[in-house]
Each structure stands twice: as C-alpha cells, then as structure tokens.
Amino acid sequence: MTITKILTVTAAIAIFSGFGCMAFAAGGGGVLTDPDAMEGKHFHPKGKMPSKFTVEKQNNLRQQMPFGDKKDFEEQKKGFIAAPNFKQIKAEAGHVAWDMGSYMWLLQGKDFDSIHPSLQRQAILNMNYGLYEVIPGIYQVRGFDLANISFIKSKTGWIVFDPLTAKETAKAALDLINDKLGKRPVVAVVYSHSHADHWGGVRGVVDEADVKSGKVKIIAPVGFMDHAVAENVYAGNAMNRRLFYQYGVLLPRSPFGHADQSIGKNVAAGNTGLIPPNVIITKDFEELTVDGIRMIFQNTPGTEAPAEMNTYFPQFKTFWAAENIVATIHNIYTLRGALVRDALEWSKQINVALYKFGQEAEVMFASHSWPRWGNARIQQVMRAQRDTYANLNNGVLFLANQGVTINQVHNVYEVPESLQKQWAVRSYHGSVEHNSRAVINRYLGYWDGNPTTLIPLSPEDSAPLYVEMMGGAAKIIARGKELYEQGKYLYAQEILNKLVYAEPGNQEAKDLLADVFEQIGYQQESPSVRNSFLAAALELRSGIPEGASPKTSGPDVVRAMTTELWLDFLGVRLNSKKAAGKQFKINLSTPDNGEKFVVELSNATLTNVEGFQADDADLSITINRSDLVQTMMGAVGFDEQIASGKAKLVGNRDAYEQLKTLLVHFDLGFEIMPGTGARDLTPEENTFKQEELGRTDGG
Ligand SMILES: [Zn+2]
C-alpha cells in the first residue's frame, strides 16, 4: 500500500478543546485500518523499528512499573453483558464513523517495543467494547466513541448521561441497550460538561420536539451553552491543525502510529448536533428527582471544563465523576491549544466530592474509562487524583518560587513516588512535562525572565547563524547521526531542528530529524505527546498528509453561537493590512431576537458593540437572526440574503462591499515543521472553509 493511499483513507478530525477532552468530530472519510498493523510492519517506507535504546528502556519499564497490580483489568471487564456483532458504525453520510476493528492488533497478547509499556496497557484497557452493568439499574456502553454513554434505568425509561460525539454512535448505543435489556424511552439526558464528546450525539437518543414540549428533560451545568460553543472559535483553525499532532488524526492506527488517546481510542466522525438544555443547574449543589431517580448535582466549574458537574445517586450510593476523575491525569494544558486549566481548583473540587459523597459511595463511574467498586477503592482513587493535581500545582510553584523557569520545570518537577506507583494517576492525557510547564504558564506566563527570550529571533532567522557557526550541514548531520546512534535523541533533535529551519529543503536532514522524533515518540507514555512526535515525523518524511476529512460541525452548533461571537470572529478574519485607511460604521439589527450592534472599521481593526446603534452609521443592515444563522453556517451567502430581501440594507452599500473583500478564510494546510509543504487543501479536505464558526472543543 502506498503512503498516499494509506493516508487518504483518513481518520476524523477532532475538534477538541483541551480535548479538555473535548472534542468535536469533524467527520469525513472512512477510518483507517492498516492490514500491516496486525503483522507489525511499519506503515511508512522510511519508518524505523524501535532502536536498541528504546527497546532497553521499554524492557526496564516492564520490570519497574507495577504491572502486578491487575485491579484495573478486573474493573474494566466487570459487569460485561454483551458486545454487538459489528466493529464499525457507519455515518449517515456513508463513511465509517467508528471502527473498533482498526485497533484489534492491540489484543494479540504481544509486547510492542514501539509503544511505552504503560501506554500499551492503557490502550488495551480502552478496548472495552459493548454493554456493561455498573450496578443493577446503571449501565454503560463503552468503546463506541471517545467517551462512554451511560444509562440510568428510571421508573419508566432511561436517563442518558453524556450522549457521545455523534448521532450515529449514540443511536447505535441506545439500540444495543434496548436490544439487550428491553426497549425503554429516553426520559432525560444529562450533559456532564461542555466538551462535544459528551453531547454531540444527542440527536441519536432524543427528538428535539420532546425536549421543547418538556416531555424530555435535558439537564446541564451552569454556563454550558456559552462554553459548548465559544471555547474554540477564535483560534479554531490553528487548533484543528494542531489536532493533527495531539490526536494524530492522520496517523495510521498501528504499533508505529496511533495506538490510543488516553481517555478512549479516538473520536467518532459522524453528525454532531446540539439540543439546548431545558434545565440548568446553577447552585453549587442542587437536587432533582427525575422519573423516580434522585440526583444530587455538584457544579465544578473551572476543572476539566469551564462548565462541568458531578452527580451523586443516593439511592444507589453511586457517584458519577463526569470527566473530573477518569483513569488518567488529564490535561492542564492541552496540546491542540486551549486556555490553561486550574490544577488547584480541580483538586479542590475532587476533595469536596470526596468529603460530600465519597464517604458513603460504593460505586464510582465516569464519562471515560471504567467504574470503581467498593468504598475503600473509591476513596483511594479520589485521594490519588486529588493529590496528583494538588502536587502538580504546589510542587511546580514550589520550584518556580525558587527560580525554576517554564523552560526548565519539566526536567525538574517529579511526581511523588507513591503516586507514580498508582495506575489511576499516570499522566496519559496530560504528560507530566507539558502539565508542569502549564502551571507556570498559568501563574507567570510564558516568559522565563531572561531578556534573551523576551524578543528572540524567529527560529528560521536564528537557525542559519547556528548552522554557520557549527560548520555547516554536513557536520551537523554527522554529529546528529552519532547522537542518534548513541540514543541521545533530545540532543540530536536540538541540532537537527536548527538545520531543518536553516535548510527546509534538505531532505536528508528532515529524514534524520524524523528518525529522532520517531524514537522519542515510541518512548512516550502520553499518547498526546507520542502522537505529536510521530505526526511531525510523518510530515518531515513525506509532507503534510492528504486526507483531512470533510467535517460537519452541524448547524445546531452554529445556531447556538451568539451573534456577538460571530462578529468577534469576523474581526479575527479581517485582513488588517488590506484594511489600512478604510473606515465605516454599520448598524446591524436582528429584529426577531431584538439584538442591535454597531460594527465599526477603524484603524484597520473591526470591532463590535452590542446594544447600541450609531447615529452617523454609513449603513444599516436588518436581518432576522434566524436568517443570519444560515450565513453563519455558510449555507446561504449574504448576497443571497440581500437578493431575497431577507437582509435589508439602508445607506451606503460600499461599507458592506468593502467588508466582504477584507475577510479571509483560514486554511488547515499550513506548515508546522519547515519544508513540509504548506499546501492549499481541496474543499473536501478542508474542514474549516465554511464552518469555521461552528467548532467547539474537547479533550
Ligand atoms: Zn470527554
């Protein structure tokens, strides 16, 4: 199979915020199954096997890490009821939305030296697939998407917790439980938080008319709608491009490529929709009884997501930890790009849950991973997670207060040994390295205090001087090879990276740096970090892959976006250089929802203010919000809205014509590593052209 073919059959593009987890699938082509993966063949002609240094490192880890502790495997399979008779779930658009079959090579009982042993363990645990009983009355379907979907058996139906990313996978899960346990109507849905892998599939389990009539309750934490839509709009295109790295969206699934995503295998690539909640939980703690099920909600804003809540079920003595406690330490900083999270607040909210519910809970389950049973076990996991987040925050600040900087802390900060030995708090999603730097970034920002790093040269500008001083490309390659042969990969990347920046056309240099990245990737416990190194290696070897799938952040999501957010994003899309010297004021009003804005271009900058109209506006535009949303989605051009009379313009139309010529569309195909061939993606590949406004985040 040629590399191009492999790569054109692509995976989904996930839009995650921090994939906090978060994620939003942009779904497109079929998901990749590489037949070579089963046989342990590398998918790339230039790919290398793990070096003797990598093999030795993995062997040592197999000796040192607590592999004798098999508790997770008992918990992961406990309560298994049935698996479906299929491994793939098709999207309505025809492509494969989900393919558990593409990871079956993990279940051969082999040790893969190209995968960190602890990550391989997690990757196998995440092969959970099918319907599971948590306790009588509470069930989960796992392995149908990045997250789990959970079902509480109420008096007359199901209460669904977190209906996955895609309509198709959520529907398949509902069909499975109805088939195995008897058909029941969905009477309520709970969105635990604002990341799309927890709500995007809602249309697969409920009909919006039943939500509007109040027959079905959709319950969500305070701030849900704002954060579900807003978290990733402004920097959305950059985040999507970086997902190629963090989520390895174009990496083949293989022992040498994508193996896992910490909190599940991957993200489903189907229809993502959003039905707004009709019940919002606003207090710190709030109790509701729905169809005979008592639920005590705990709002935990500022943790894994800006809007998130845990739930306690007193009649079952069962605690739902949302995504606050899963089988990994999570991202404080998510590599796709997102605001840095608050490790201390996260720890505190776990502590509150521990004292409020953890004293009597007999079962703990969550939106990813597998449940924990028995009060002692629950308290052990809660304490370990509480302490790991707190230690990260406090331990890093302890060092920062003694002068350790953001450029050093990842090499200095260490997780306490007693925590390192507990599987429940290994740093799969957020590595210790990138999370420790994140804590400094949160409190002190990116500057280390050394003026040299305050206004540094750009890497492409400093690199030629380094290469000249080091004696040229041949010397650097020779030394780079030596370091590679000695297994000193971090040193090798230091000098080869300079050469690649100085000579982006030097394929020998790019191939050698790719070899170095690959070994570093194989050695990583965190799949986010592993994927980033392996994706960069792939791009250095053969350019930015083809196959970014056409995505579909559905109309629901755009509909939920405020007009102000959309106007803000127009400001981001403005070509400021081209706008120099131009100015106008536009009054925009949307009568059906009573909103008014002044949109002003001045000083090559587009701003907006809500609630005002300018007396001296050049132009007034009136359009109903319900029509404007069609333009926001890219379904109907604004010119068409004018032609059909839906948009009415009064005044000087030049302002509108000018604005049109000043806005750019962002392209996903920009270069990250030098010399990897920035290219214009085809419309099919480019997931972002028309729908840049509708992305949200996860992870
Ligand atoms: Zn999630």
Side-chain angles (χ1 to χ4, degrees), residues 626-644:
S626 57
D627 293 321
L628 180 63
V629 81
Q630 297 297 319
T631 297
M632 291 163 62
M633 284 189 287
V636 181
F638 206 80
D639 285 341
E640 283 175 67
Q641 304 274 23
I642 297 168
S644 68

Side-chain angles (χ1 to χ4, degrees), residues 136-197:
I138 299 183
Y139 307 89
Q140 290 191 307
V141 173
R142 298 184 209 138
F144 273 39
D145 205 317
L146 186 70
N148 302 324
I149 180 171
S150 303
F151 297 89
I152 319 299
K153 191 174 184 175
S154 60
K155 221 185 295 170
T156 64
W158 299 121
I159 299 172
V160 175
F161 273 61
D162 287 6
L164 306 179
T165 315
K167 180 183 174 188
E168 296 89 340
T169 53
K171 179 175 184 307
L174 179 62
D175 288 348
L176 179 66
I177 192 169
N178 278 336
D179 180 47
K180 299 297 173 191
L181 300 182
K183 195 168 161 55
R184 303 169 71 81
V186 172
V187 296
V189 173
V190 175
Y191 298 149
S192 72
H193 66 287
S194 50
H195 296 149
D197 53 325

Side-chain angles (χ1 to χ4, degrees), residues 53-54 57-58 116 489 518-525:
F53 303 100
T54 300
K57 198 161 182 184
Q58 318 289 38
H116 188 293
Y489 304 122
E518 186 167 60
Q519 297 301 322
I520 297 172
Y522 290 163
Q523 295 181 11
Q524 299 308 307
E525 183 176 23

Side-chain angles (χ1 to χ4, degrees), residues 67 139 175 230 305 388 413 438 440 458 555 566 620:
F67 285 97
Y139 307 89
D175 288 348
T388 308
Y413 172 71
I440 294 198
S458 292
W566 179 69
S620 293

Side-chain angles (χ1 to χ4, degrees), residues 2 5 14 80 99 115 121-122 134 157 253 273 295 310 355 374 416 425 428 456 502 552 559 600 621:
T2 67
K5 271 195 189 147
F80 175 73
D99 185 4
I115 305 176
R121 179 184 179 280
Q122 182 81 350
V134 178
R253 293 160 187 197
M295 296 181 280
N310 297 328
Y355 279 91
V425 291
Y428 301 107
T552 58
R559 207 173 289 133
E600 198 170 334
I621 300 178

